[in-house]
Amino acid sequence: MEKPLLIASDIDGTLLTTDNDLSPRTVSVISRIQAAETPFVLVSGRPPRWIPPVAELAGLSGYAVCANGAIIYDIAASSVLSVHGLEPMLLHDVAHTLQSVLRDTHLATEWATVGPYDGGITFATEPGFRNPWGDAETNYRPRAEVLGKPATKLLVRHEKMTSTEMAMAARELLGDAVDVTFSTNSGLIEISAPGVTKAFGLAEVASWAGVEAADVVAFGDMPNDIEMLRWAGHGVAMANAHKSVAAAADEVTAAHDEDGVALVLERWF
């Protein structure tokens, strides 16, 4: 493709190394991209509160797509610009349907509102919920409160199933009522409003920048990146990517620990 007009990258397993750092080579190419005034957008399943440390490492201050496309976050202003969430009635219906079939599942939600970002927190229905990245931010509340307000994501945990198994079951049960994906295979699925994916959020940011999909290069490694890689003019999977992601990509680059993102971007920058 011609020189891209916008770069989009997943964070974990893609831009960051295994030890949650950025290599000097990756930092250098991001710096050149910014010098060329080409937007570099972080696109992640992470909530906004987990974006600033990565943005600081990369020297980024623009937009980030968070919560798998449900939130657009202004890094410099620490402000949420748009939210596309799950309404309480849908949350209750989804939770009831899943837990009536998938026993021993535990639920949590993430919340955000448009405006200055207050830091957020994960709210879970009972102490049985544990996310694969630790529970330091998890706050337990009654089920009615956890599911009783619009949420950017519904997190469903089952420690005796893989995320692949859970996602297959959830899609069979829920159909197109919601969007089901996952960013780890450790027994956690992430549920968004129907049609809300990383591609959805990135398309919103690209439209603000006046950039067409054909002029976007996107990088990812897990199933929650598939729609974004298909949407972009050139979708790149990491060598460490889930096999379904590699199959959806236009190209497979080196692993996240081997400067895979930088290797591709150095063609143009």
Side-chain angles (χ1 to χ4, degrees):
M1 69 179 298
E2 299 293 328
K3 188 173 184 178
L5 302 182
L6 187 148
I7 314 300
S9 180
D10 171 53
I11 294 176
D12 301 288
T14 300
L15 192 66
L16 293 182
T17 59
T18 300
D19 58 0
N20 291 314
D21 203 357
L22 284 178
S23 73
R25 186 172 181 178
T26 299
V27 172
S28 179
V29 75
I30 292 174
S31 178
R32 294 194 296 275
I33 289 166
Q34 293 196 94
E37 299 185 346
T38 300
F40 193 107
V41 182
L42 298 173
V43 186
S44 179
R46 292 183 179 214
R49 65 182 176 277
W50 290 359
I51 296 297
V54 181
E56 185 175 356
L57 284 173
L60 297 172
S61 59
Y63 298 139
V65 177
C66 303
N68 292 327
I71 300 172
I72 308 300
Y73 176 61
D74 183 325
I75 298 169
S78 188
S79 180
V80 172
L81 303 180
S82 69
V83 176
H84 304 277
L86 292 148
E87 293 301 318
M89 185 174 295
L90 181 56
L91 282 170
H92 280 280
D93 288 347
V94 168
H96 174 76
T97 300
L98 287 176
Q99 291 191 312
S100 66
V101 176
L102 298 180
R103 304 295 184 181
D104 299 320
T105 54
H106 302 284
L107 309 175
T109 52
E110 284 278 353
W111 302 340
T113 57
V114 173
Y117 186 60
D118 64 4
I121 197 166
T122 302
F123 289 90
T125 54
E126 65 272 311
F129 178 87
R130 292 189 294 274
N131 71 56
W133 304 284
D135 295 306
E137 297 178 322
T138 302
N139 199 337
Y140 301 105
R141 291 284 189 270
R143 183 184 181 90
E145 184 177 347
V146 173
L147 303 176
K149 61 187 290 187
T152 55
K153 279 201 301 188
L154 174 65
L155 304 169
V156 185
R157 184 80 162 113
H158 195 303
E159 296 190 357
K160 295 182 180 179
M161 296 177 68
T162 66
S163 303
T164 301
E165 293 167 339
M166 293 177 68
M168 289 177 62
R171 288 168 183 151
E172 182 70 23
L173 289 167
L174 303 171
D176 59 3
V178 291
D179 196 274
V180 179
T181 192
F182 58 95
S183 55
T184 171
N185 204 27
S186 301
L188 180 76
I189 57 173
E190 304 163 53
I191 297 177
S192 302
V196 174
T197 65
K198 287 188 176 185
F200 176 89
L202 180 57
E204 186 171 10
V205 171
S207 70
W208 296 347
V211 176
E212 300 291 333
D215 296 314
V216 176
V217 171
F219 299 84
D221 74 307
M222 287 299 287
N224 61 333
D225 296 311
I226 288 174
E227 291 85 357
M228 175 176 72
L229 299 193
R230 288 175 173 164
W231 176 86
H234 193 68
V236 183
M238 314 305 291
N240 53 282
H242 190 280
K243 62 181 181 180
S244 63
V245 181
D250 299 300
E251 174 184 358
V252 177
T253 186
H256 64 134
D257 283 329
E258 299 172 348
D259 295 311
V261 171
L263 281 169
V264 174
L265 293 177
E266 286 169 352
R267 299 172 189 167
W268 304 289
F269 301 95

